[in-house]
Amino acid sequence: MILVTGGLGMIGAHTAAALADSGEEVVVTAHRSTRIPSFLAGRVQVETIDVRDRDAVLALGERYDIRDIVHLAGSIPDGDPLAFFRHDMAGLLTMLEAAQAWSVRRFAVASSIGVYTGRPEIPWDEELALPLADLPHAIVAFKKAVEPLTLFAFAGTGVQPVLLRIGGTWGPLMDPESPFNIIPPYVGALRRGEQPPPLYADDGGDWGYAPDSGRAIALLVTAATLGHTAYNVSSGTRYTNRQLAEALAAALPGTRVDLLDGRSSDAGDDPYLDIRRLTAATGFAPRFDLRAAVADYVAWRAGNDR
């Protein structure tokens, strides 16, 4: 059985669904949100626990034969970075201990595209040394710390760590007003008949669609062998706001997103992730380009509030 923490969140739920699709037995943890999405109902075991609760987590090993762990549970800072670090570090340490106690085969943990901040090379690949740089968010700072802590914790234990450097993932189950990706809020505004703010046409980003990202993680967790510890997980493509505006117009006829010429700054191209290592290890290729992802998401939002 495979344990997915945070398994009812956006990335966790799509990872759990992809694992179930491949025939795996899956148990997920849920804490803040316990609403089971329709595409997971009846397909996974759900345990309502806080991953910081050591006794509750270790008790899972008495009820399930857990072979692999995907640790995706996390929180959102509320203004106090120390409280956020304390909260998410407690969860990480508990799960590292559980992995050792259960002698799992593989421990995959969420890192972030943000760990590459400061590297001028684009696209970002896993061979780049991670620089000491001013980081854009407390979440990125924590994810950057997760990597060496996880590697050190499992050195010599037989547990294989997998660092998931996840790009700007969005899709079903994301907060529709999320500040971390413009697509869900823009879809919401257009569906309400509102005109969202204009976008610079040539700005963009690495927008991996959640069903694809979940499938990529599932492929890494279940791969027979892995030759590396760090893997980029995303679309492998830099999309632009011009492409986004076209995709939104196609999915929501009669609406438009106004575009401004050029870019919002002269800082250089927006970064994106090189996923050739992921593809070589698992055969992964995205099933959704941006237009298909937007169409799928608009259809999802028509019947779901998230």
Side-chain angles (χ1 to χ4, degrees), residues 34-94:
T34 57
R35 181 178 175 183
I36 301 173
S38 57
F39 59 81
L40 272 188
R43 305 181 67 206
V44 301
Q45 300 293 322
V46 180
E47 293 283 347
T48 305
I49 63 171
D50 185 340
V51 294
R52 296 174 297 169
D53 185 336
R54 177 180 179 274
D55 291 340
V57 168
L58 291 178
L60 293 177
E62 300 172 5
R63 298 196 295 276
Y64 303 100
D65 181 15
I66 296 173
R67 184 189 78 230
D68 301 294
I69 295 173
V70 187
H71 181 46
L72 301 174
S75 62
I76 303 295
D78 61 3
D80 181 356
L82 291 181
F84 163 69
F85 294 150
R86 187 177 298 112
H87 181 284
D88 280 27
M89 183 62 73
L92 173 66
L93 294 177
T94 299

Side-chain angles (χ1 to χ4, degrees), residues 22 25 28 31 37 82 142 176 190 213 217 242 249 255 266 278 284:
S22 68
E25 294 185 324
V28 305
H31 179 44
L82 291 181
F142 179 73
L190 294 172
S213 296
I217 294 170
R242 187 183 305 279
T255 67
D266 296 324
L278 166 66
F284 171 80

